[in-house]
């Protein structure tokens, strides 16, 4: 396969399907979908031929389940994390009483002051368990896990969504709803 690893393919999928479809010469519809055949053609044009079977394996084996095929298998999209404008059609959902957010210590002063903001994404991403949040935070260095009082947020009128891969999403988390580690 030209020596291109599954990890590199997955990173390119994330980039094209979440942030820069134009970089792959593809166009996402309003819900973030693109025809699988169009995506495979884009990979071929980028000198990284990708067969349907390998794409299916990468999607199925992704530990974070970042991507999903349409029910009929003809389209693919990223489950969340977009910086391009898409409407994923998430319905509001009742979160667990506590959710978690993984970050690094360098981000704590800003988070204490402003809370959690979506930055370049559409939503703040939260985890249902501490271990997943720790793993997310470790991507940028030594992880720090914050606890989110999701029950209090719901009572205060905040809305949550749960993506297809179990990531909890909300518009922002004000610092008053966060517990910081000692």
């Amino acid at each position: 396969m030209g020596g291109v690893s599954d990890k590199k393919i997955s990173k390119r999928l994330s980039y094209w399907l979440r942030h820069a479809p134009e970089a792959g010469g593809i166009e996402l519809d309003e819900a973030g979908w693109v025809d699988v055949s169009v995506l495979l053609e884009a990979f071929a044009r980028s000198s990284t031929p990708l067969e349907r079977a390998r794409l299916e394996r990468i999607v199925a084996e992704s530990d974070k389940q970042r991507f999903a095929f349409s029910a009929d298998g003809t389209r693919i999209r990223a489950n969340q994390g977009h910086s391009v404008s898409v409407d994923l059609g998430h319905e509001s959902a009742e979160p667990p009483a506590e959710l978690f957010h993984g970050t690094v210590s360098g981000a704590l002063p800003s988070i204490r002051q402003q809370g959690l903001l979506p930055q370049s994404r559409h939503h703040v991403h939260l985890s249902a368990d501490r271990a997943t949040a720790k793993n997310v935070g470790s991507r940028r260095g030594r992880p720090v896990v914050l606890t989110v009082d999701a029950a209090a947020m719901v009572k205060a009128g905040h809305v949550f969504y749960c993506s297809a891969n179990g990531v909890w999403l909300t518009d922002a988390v004000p610092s008053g709803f966060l517990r910081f580690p000692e």
Side-chain angles (χ1 to χ4, degrees), residues 2-180:
V4 178
S5 69
D6 286 357
K7 183 175 181 177
K8 286 192 182 208
I9 298 284
S10 183
K11 284 181 181 270
R12 188 174 297 173
L13 282 170
S14 287
Y15 185 61
W16 288 356
L17 297 178
R18 295 165 70 185
H19 307 297
E22 69 282 356
I26 61 173
E27 200 172 312
L28 306 179
D29 72 11
E30 64 281 347
W33 296 105
V34 63
D35 284 346
V36 172
S37 61
V38 170
L39 182 70
L40 295 176
E41 289 169 11
F43 270 92
R45 283 192 308 274
S46 72
S47 301
T48 308
L50 178 63
E51 302 84 26
R52 170 75 189 226
R54 186 175 184 200
L55 175 64
E56 288 176 359
R57 183 176 48 74
I58 290 169
V59 169
E61 293 176 0
S62 168
D63 59 338
K64 295 186 178 98
Q65 293 297 294
R66 285 193 171 106
F67 316 106
F69 288 105
S70 59
D72 65 3
T74 62
R75 298 176 300 153
I76 187 171
R77 73 176 180 183
N79 284 321
Q80 90 280 325
H82 297 79
S83 59
V84 296
S85 182
V86 295
D87 179 3
L88 298 175
H90 294 306
E91 294 189 25
S92 62
E94 185 79 20
E98 290 184 336
L99 292 169
F100 304 93
H101 182 78
T103 190
V104 292
S105 60
L108 293 179
S110 173
I111 294 171
R112 286 182 196 278
Q113 187 174 56
Q114 299 176 6
L116 295 172
L117 301 173
Q119 306 300 330
S120 63
R121 295 179 171 182
H122 293 270
H123 295 99
V124 171
H125 292 200
L126 304 170
S127 303
D129 62 84
R130 197 174 292 280
T132 301
K134 184 176 180 180
N135 185 40
V136 169
S138 69
R139 285 187 255 158
R140 293 195 176 95
R142 189 167 174 211
V144 175
V145 177
L146 308 178
T147 303
V148 177
D149 188 346
M153 285 183 67
V154 169
K155 284 182 184 171
H158 294 267
V159 178
F160 288 84
Y161 309 92
C162 189
S163 71
N165 61 346
V167 174
W168 285 91
L169 309 169
T170 192
D171 291 336
V173 179
S175 60
F177 294 103
L178 293 169
R179 279 198 319 273
F180 295 83

